[in-house]
Amino acid sequence: MYPTRQGWTVAALAVVLAVLAVVFARPLVLVGSALIGAWLLAHQYRFTRDLERTVESLSVVQSPARMAVRTGDEVPVTLTATRETKTELTLEVSAGIPVAATATRPFVVSLEPAIEQANRTRTVTWPVAGRHTFDKVTVTATDGLFRETITAGSTPTVTVEPPSPRSIHVGEGGDRIAASYGSHESRRTGTGIEPAELREYLPGDTGKRIDWKATARHTTPYVREYEAESDRRTLLVVDHRSSLAMGSEGETKLEALREVALVIAGNTRRLNNPLGLVTVGDGGITSYRGIASSTVNYRPIRRQLLALEPTIAADTSASTGISNPAGATTMNRTEADSNELSASMSTNTQLETVSAGESSVSLLRRNTTPTDAQRSLSDLEGTDDAFGRTLRPFYSDQQRYRERITEDPLYGAVHRGVTNAQGSIWTVICTDDSRPAELRETVSLARQGGSEVLVLLAPSVLYEPGGLADIEQAYDRYVEFEEFRRELARIDNVTALEVGPTDRLSAVIEAGRSRGGHA
């Protein structure tokens, strides 16, 4: 509590009178000074009592119209102040708008002594994504002579999400899929709650499983099977490397993939299935949250997804693929070596032993594991004939390629997630098409052990600035992307879907139709 300007004036008057009384030896003036001082102290005591009653009876509520908004949205916020006890104090209530938000005008409500309730609504803009909590309101109470400032009221939290792309297409070859991402069936029957099928009664079925209505209709006993309850463990792997920043503001690859990932996470929560998350930057894993109950993991995973920003890649153009200023992605050296090696080694399916004189070596084929490659290389190192000397360079190149792949960020992220999960999981990989060799190996790793894999691919041709300037060339590039997507989709237990802006994809597909092409 501290005096106002008027209070200081009264106090100064009492002091001046006291000094004058002493200087001029006027006792009567001294009495006047004492009376003014006593009156000021009494007023201070009454202010303190009124303030206590006011604080006890005061209710202040800050009410945003929506608790979840998008960046740039303008949301009405209402500030309501209610005082149940009448006092002589005037209250000035200032809203606790978060620092990251801006109000159109000063947000203040005044309560005069005769007024019990007042409210005011202001439009608040939210330019920064994240979770923003209101501060408590600031209440300044005064009776003219004294003033006190306190904090009170509710502190709601508003979640501000990044702007989502206007319309996202998720599908295959230009056809949108109708299924809800993340929904699934157990594919087993048992004692769940969802009806699956009706069948005739078999010896050994318990009486409580008989469907009496169906039995009455068919005049013979029938049993109702129910879909067994199952938990599908879901691992989201979200790539936010620098190449995912491609696209116009608010409609980048990362923002489109994030929207789909959020839907999948929401469906996982609705189904009460376990959920985990791995995020991948240019330097490797940026965050990891192991698979656990969606009740525990959903909210933190959602916050992590909303906070994702593309990382900045180091200048490694000599060894990795980067996007040139025009937006066209150049092939990295690792991938070029891989393609050249694959063309040289046309054998594909499994390891096969070939004898050459007294030596026998193993030929490496495309589906060989790194362990098999190392074993094959060891076999060659023990031979010194023309056959071994001819094949040894190819085995060495393939082994070095395998070692480079294991060091790639996306592969490493999936390896950690799959290893820690220890069992069958549903892996959802959100990335783009700029690193096909790495993605092939990553998908192969993720589907080991019979696990299912969903690949959400953002085609670079649909996000490049000016990428549709030459629509014919854009269609040709989309056809190349579609061939790659289908290649992934043909792998057992793998589903590959394209994720892109609907308007751009429609323009590319229409260009193909006009010239009689088929994606």
Side-chain angles (χ1 to χ4, degrees):
M1 179 179 60
Y2 51 93
T4 63
R5 180 178 297 180
Q6 184 178 353
W8 282 116
T9 301
V10 174
L13 176 61
V15 171
V16 169
L17 289 177
V19 172
L20 290 177
V22 173
V23 171
F24 294 102
R26 300 281 184 173
L28 188 60
V29 176
L30 184 60
V31 170
S33 172
L35 290 175
I36 293 175
W39 176 82
L40 190 62
L41 290 175
H43 208 91
Q44 181 181 12
Y45 174 76
R46 188 176 69 177
F47 173 81
T48 303
R49 295 294 302 274
D50 282 352
L51 181 63
E52 291 176 354
R53 292 198 303 271
T54 299
V55 170
E56 292 177 357
S57 66
L58 182 64
S59 172
V60 183
V61 179
Q62 302 176 96
S63 306
R66 301 199 310 272
M67 307 305 292
V69 300
R70 297 280 184 182
T71 53
D73 284 356
E74 295 182 349
V75 178
V77 177
T78 301
L79 175 63
T80 303
T82 304
R83 176 173 52 187
E84 298 178 355
T85 301
K86 292 184 179 180
T87 65
E88 297 300 320
L89 303 183
T90 298
L91 304 181
E92 187 176 88
V93 183
S94 300
I97 301 296
V99 176
T102 56
T104 52
R105 287 180 290 173
F107 205 172
V108 179
V109 171
S110 295
L111 279 177
E112 298 295 334
I115 299 176
E116 296 182 355
Q117 185 181 64
N119 62 72
R120 181 157 295 170
T121 301
R122 289 282 185 265
T123 300
V124 177
T125 305
W126 306 87
V128 180
R131 287 170 57 85
H132 304 290
T133 301
F134 281 70
D135 296 328
K136 288 189 174 183
V137 298
T138 301
V139 181
T140 302
T142 182
D143 64 350
L145 294 178
F146 295 94
R147 178 184 303 237
E148 183 63 275
T149 300
I150 61 173
T151 56
S154 59
T155 57
T157 298
V158 174
T159 301
V160 184
E161 300 181 0
S164 61
R166 289 170 296 180
S167 179
I168 303 175
H169 165 92
V170 181
E172 302 173 330
D175 296 327
R176 184 187 296 269
I177 62 171
S180 179
Y181 325 123
S183 298
H184 68 98
E185 298 177 355
S186 66
R187 300 179 183 176
R188 297 184 289 111
T189 56
T191 58
I193 59 175
E194 293 295 330
E197 63 179 7
L198 192 67
R199 63 170 176 81
E200 291 187 6
Y201 175 85
L202 296 175
D205 290 332
T206 60
K208 65 180 181 180
R209 299 185 63 189
I210 296 177
D211 188 315
W212 295 107
K213 292 183 178 180
T215 298
R217 290 196 307 269
H218 295 86
T219 69
T220 56
Y222 270 77
V223 172
R224 174 75 66 180
E225 291 278 13
Y226 290 86
E227 185 176 300
E229 297 176 354
S230 69
D231 289 336
R232 180 169 65 180
R233 301 190 303 159
T234 301
L235 175 67
L236 288 173
V237 182
V238 182
D239 188 351
H240 64 112
R241 287 176 284 185
S242 55
S243 64
L244 276 297
M246 183 182 293
S248 57
E249 184 178 356
E251 296 188 348
T252 63
K253 293 179 183 178
L254 177 58
E255 286 164 325
L257 291 170
R258 172 168 48 205
E259 284 296 309
V260 183
L262 286 170
V263 172
I264 293 175
N267 283 334
T268 300
R269 182 194 189 191
R270 178 176 58 83
L271 295 169
N272 199 28
N273 287 339
L275 178 65
L277 173 69
V278 186
T279 58
V280 186
D282 288 278
I285 296 175
T286 55
S287 68
Y288 173 78
R289 196 170 189 90
I291 296 177
S293 167
S294 57
T295 304
V296 175
N297 268 0
Y298 173 72
R299 291 188 181 278
I301 284 178
R302 179 180 173 83
R303 287 196 295 268
Q304 282 180 291
L305 289 174
L306 291 173
L308 278 184
E309 295 290 342
T311 56
I312 300 175
D315 185 11
T316 55
S317 57
S319 59
T320 60
I322 60 172
S323 298
N324 60 32
T329 304
T330 60
M331 179 178 293
N332 59 51
R333 182 61 186 165
T334 299
E335 185 180 333
D337 292 344
S338 170
N339 293 341
E340 182 179 351
L341 182 59
S342 298
S344 301
M345 303 182 65
S346 59
T347 53
N348 53 23
T349 57
Q350 60 182 3
L351 283 174
E352 177 181 292
T353 302
V354 175
S355 296
E358 296 180 354
S359 66
S360 64
V361 295
S362 299
L363 292 182
L364 183 65
R365 293 196 170 183
R366 188 171 58 187
N367 296 334
T368 308
T369 66
T371 302
D372 295 330
Q374 183 62 45
R375 186 184 302 114
S376 302
L377 183 58
S378 298
D379 292 342
L380 283 176
E381 289 175 349
T383 65
D384 193 30
D385 55 12
F387 186 75
R389 287 194 300 272
T390 301
L391 289 184
R392 191 175 294 118
F394 296 106
Y395 279 77
S396 300
D397 289 344
Q398 183 73 354
Q399 177 67 6
R400 285 194 296 270
Y401 166 67
R402 289 281 178 174
E403 291 172 352
R404 288 195 297 266
I405 282 293
T406 59
E407 296 173 357
D408 286 332
L410 188 63
Y411 186 96
V414 171
H415 182 270
R416 178 177 178 182
V418 170
T419 302
N420 292 348
Q422 295 182 346
S424 179
I425 61 174
W426 185 48
T427 306
V428 181
I429 302 174
C430 304
T431 186
D432 63 0
D433 61 343
S434 60
R435 305 169 185 86
E438 178 193 16
L439 186 55
R440 289 189 190 97
E441 297 293 339
T442 302
V443 169
S444 297
L445 172 66
R447 60 180 288 271
Q448 290 181 1
S451 296
E452 295 184 1
V453 181
L454 171 62
V455 183
L456 297 171
L457 272 177
S460 296
V461 64
L462 299 182
Y463 291 90
E464 293 174 355
L468 302 188
D470 187 340
I471 195 66
E472 298 292 333
Q473 183 183 16
Y475 177 75
D476 291 337
R477 292 186 57 198
Y478 174 74
V479 170
E480 294 176 3
F481 163 82
E482 179 61 14
E483 290 175 353
F484 174 58
R485 187 199 64 77
R486 289 178 180 176
E487 174 190 340
L488 296 177
R490 282 192 292 267
I491 302 174
D492 290 341
N493 296 333
V494 176
T495 301
L497 302 176
E498 62 199 358
V499 178
T502 302
D503 52 353
R504 285 184 159 236
L505 178 60
S506 298
V508 171
I509 296 296
E510 187 60 33
R513 289 173 180 168
S514 64
R515 72 178 193 182
H518 299 280

